[in-house]
Amino acid sequence: IIHKAIAADLRVGPLENAKEAVVSYGCSDNIELRLSDGLDNFSENEVEEIAVAGMGGLLISSFIERTQWLKNEEIHLILQPMTAIKELREYLSHGYKITDETLVFDADKLYQVICAEYDGMEHTYTDIELELGKINIEKREELFSMLVENTVKKRTEIPFSFLF
C-alpha cells in the first residue's frame, strides 16, 4: 500500500531497533530511517501522510506548532496520543479539522486515533467532545462504551493521599 515511508525517532537506540525490524520484514527499499526531533528533519515536499504515535498529546501539539509547513490542506495527520488527548483536540481546534476518529484495543489498552488536516478555521467543541471525540460520540463504535467507562473512572478516582 505504501511505496515509501520514513520512520523517525529522536534517539539512536530506537532507530537501531527499527532498522532491525525493517530488515527482518524485507522493507529496506521502502522505509528510510531518520534521526529527527519530531518533524524537524522533514520537508513539506516529501510527505503526504504523517502518523505520530506513542507519545503524549502535548508533545504532538508542539511538533505540529513548530512545523509551519503542516498548514497545508494536502497533508493528512494520523495521531495516536497516549496522554493529554483532550488537550490535543483543543489544540487542533485552532486551524485543523478533525476528519475521523477511531478506537483501537490492543494489549489490554484502549487507544484513540485522531485524523486531522489543516483548514485554517476555528472549530468549537463541547468539553465532552474534547474528552471523548465528537466523531467517536457520533459513530458509537463497539469500543465506545469502554472509552466512556475508562474516562469516568479516571475522572472520579480520588487520590489516596486526599483521604488522610
Side-chain angles (χ1 to χ4, degrees):
I1 296 173
I2 298 172
H3 301 286
K4 181 182 179 193
I6 304 168
D9 201 288
L10 176 61
R11 294 168 287 142
V12 174
L15 276 181
E16 288 298 323
N17 293 339
K19 182 178 181 179
E20 290 176 19
V22 166
V23 170
S24 71
Y25 283 100
C27 298
S28 298
D29 292 339
N30 302 79
I31 300 177
E32 175 189 337
L33 300 172
R34 188 176 294 177
L35 193 63
S36 182
D37 185 0
L39 299 168
D40 291 352
N41 293 332
F42 288 75
S43 66
E44 178 176 9
N45 299 327
E46 65 182 338
V47 296
E48 296 171 6
E49 311 280 334
I50 297 172
V52 181
M55 56 190 66
L58 296 177
L59 185 57
I60 294 171
S61 298
S62 74
F63 290 168
I64 296 169
E65 179 69 25
R66 71 178 192 240
T67 310
Q68 290 301 305
W69 54 260
L70 286 178
K71 292 181 178 180
N72 177 337
E73 296 172 359
E74 301 299 316
I75 297 175
H76 306 110
L77 303 173
I78 304 162
L79 311 171
Q80 185 275 299
M82 300 296 285
T83 60
I85 299 166
K86 179 180 178 180
E87 291 81 356
L88 176 59
R89 283 194 185 97
E90 172 65 32
Y91 172 79
L92 291 171
S93 73
H94 305 290
Y96 290 84
K97 178 181 180 181
I98 296 174
T99 58
D100 199 8
E101 296 175 307
T102 194
L103 303 168
V104 177
F105 188 75
D106 184 56
D108 295 326
K109 181 149 176 63
L110 183 64
Y111 299 95
Q112 295 189 55
V113 180
I114 301 167
C115 297
E117 56 193 44
Y118 181 76
D119 68 357
M121 301 187 66
E122 292 289 320
H123 301 272
T124 304
Y125 300 102
T126 65
D127 196 49
I128 197 71
E129 289 171 339
L130 289 171
E131 188 76 42
L132 301 175
K134 183 177 182 175
I135 296 174
N136 283 333
I137 293 168
E138 292 168 357
K139 287 171 42 174
R140 307 259 174 162
E141 293 178 317
E142 183 180 330
L143 296 170
F144 183 72
S145 60
M146 182 184 292
L147 174 63
V148 172
E149 183 179 315
N150 289 354
T151 303
V152 169
K153 182 179 177 187
K154 183 170 52 173
R155 296 291 180 233
T156 58
E157 288 178 348
I158 299 172
F160 184 74
S161 61
F162 179 75
L163 300 174
F164 297 97

